[in-house]
Amino acid sequence: MPDYLDDLRLAHVLADAADAATTDRFKALDLKVETKPDMTPVSEADKAAEELIRGQLQRARPRDAILGEEYGVEGTGPRRWVIDPIDGTKNYVRGVPVWATLISLMEAGEAGFQPVVGVVSAPALGRRWWAAKGHGAFTGRSLTKASRLQVSRVSQLSDASFAYSSLSGWEEQGRLDGFLDLTRAVWRTRAYGDFWPYMMVAEGSVDMCAEPELSLWDMAATAIIVTEAGGTFTGLDSRPGPHSGNAAASNGLLHDELLGYLNQRY
């Protein structure tokens, strides 16, 4: 089996370059922000970071395909890099430090494309998380200064911490009643949002999280990090991986109950 460590090292180099570009424009008074057709914001920093990553990948991995949030798909083949230049753009443009660059390598297999490398870099928080298939998940400032991630062992819903992003998406999908029942059954709920709750599941500081509507670039990197930390990452339909258009992540021990509540009245 490929070890993917060269690809992981490259992903860190890409994240370093993106961090420099995004941090430089964070809280800039002249930051340009536009509204995309789906009514979500995109800043000049989103575009610049993705262009930067694409340029480096085209030089370092010219045979690999690239899928990015801002510029779509380029290339074909069994290996595809998936990029979210700024996950949490709404936070970014308002000066909230909870945003990150998400970089993943996906490889074609019997079950379709699956993530084999993931890096989540949140420079305004001073945090980075990463994983490569078969090598575990880690957090730290560099590959050589890192600590291994491990999900929690909480097995009772009444002891569990559950994280989410917002209520509106659950309501739009007709899942709000089940969602609210879940919040009443757990010990603690917090709406951290975006990439962060998935990283906290991987760290063991949160036991489960879910979102009702996501894109592949929102999930590819977080999925491999959660699973390599010993957790479970599926869609709300229980399909493993980041392909369902939504996500549920947990320490594994609580996953069936998590999905049960979110689907019970749907």
Side-chain angles (χ1 to χ4, degrees):
M1 184 180 75
D3 67 15
Y4 302 110
L5 293 182
D6 283 344
D7 295 309
L8 178 61
R9 283 188 280 269
L10 174 60
H12 275 276
V13 172
L14 299 173
D16 288 342
D19 284 357
T22 54
T23 302
D24 182 61
R25 298 299 291 156
F26 185 49
K27 294 187 178 181
L29 296 178
D30 60 344
L31 181 72
K32 295 183 177 64
V33 182
E34 303 170 3
T35 301
K36 294 191 287 189
D38 65 358
M39 302 308 294
T40 60
V42 58
S43 73
E44 63 181 80
D46 291 80
K47 294 179 177 180
E50 184 168 325
E51 289 170 352
L52 188 63
I53 293 170
R54 282 176 178 268
Q56 292 199 15
L57 280 173
Q58 286 161 355
R59 290 188 293 273
R61 296 289 190 275
R63 296 182 179 180
D64 293 352
I66 305 170
L67 168 64
E69 178 177 11
E70 306 308 333
Y71 295 106
V73 179
E74 182 178 359
T76 60
R79 288 165 46 99
R80 177 182 295 172
W81 293 85
V82 180
I83 306 157
D84 189 343
I86 299 179
D87 182 54
T89 299
K90 292 177 182 178
N91 284 344
Y92 184 88
V93 301
R94 290 296 302 271
V96 178
V98 183
W99 50 270
T101 296
L102 278 52
I103 300 169
S104 178
L105 172 63
M106 302 187 74
E107 195 168 72
E110 293 180 2
F113 280 91
Q114 294 297 332
V116 294
V117 167
V119 172
V120 172
S121 190
L125 295 176
R127 298 295 310 276
R128 184 177 290 186
W129 304 261
W130 62 89
K133 185 177 179 180
H135 290 277
F138 296 84
T139 186
R141 296 196 174 275
S142 69
L143 283 165
T144 56
K145 296 179 180 178
S147 56
R148 189 156 189 157
L149 299 176
Q150 181 66 48
V151 296
S152 74
R153 302 301 298 170
V154 173
S155 59
Q156 299 294 321
L157 210 57
S158 58
D159 297 327
S161 178
F162 170 59
Y164 61 98
S165 288
S166 67
L167 296 178
S168 58
W170 301 105
E171 185 173 28
E172 290 166 6
Q173 290 193 7
R175 299 181 189 263
L176 184 59
D177 288 340
F179 173 88
L180 292 175
D181 285 346
L182 175 63
T183 66
R184 298 180 186 108
V186 299
W187 166 63
R188 192 169 191 251
T189 61
R190 286 293 184 273
Y192 301 106
D194 300 308
F195 68 94
W196 206 6
Y198 299 93
M199 297 304 93
M200 287 191 274
V201 168
E203 291 179 336
S205 52
V206 165
D207 307 303
M208 53 188 185
C209 64
E211 290 181 87
E213 188 175 5
L214 293 169
S215 298
L216 181 60
W217 47 76
D218 297 314
M219 297 182 281
T222 59
I224 183 70
I225 294 171
V226 168
T227 54
E228 283 293 320
T232 300
F233 190 107
T234 72
L236 298 176
D237 58 4
S238 77
R239 181 158 55 122
H243 294 289
S244 298
N246 45 50
S250 76
N251 62 7
L253 301 173
L254 298 165
H255 208 77
D256 288 346
E257 289 181 278
L258 170 62
L259 293 179
Y261 271 95
L262 296 177
N263 290 314
Q264 70 176 355
R265 302 190 192 181
Y266 180 59

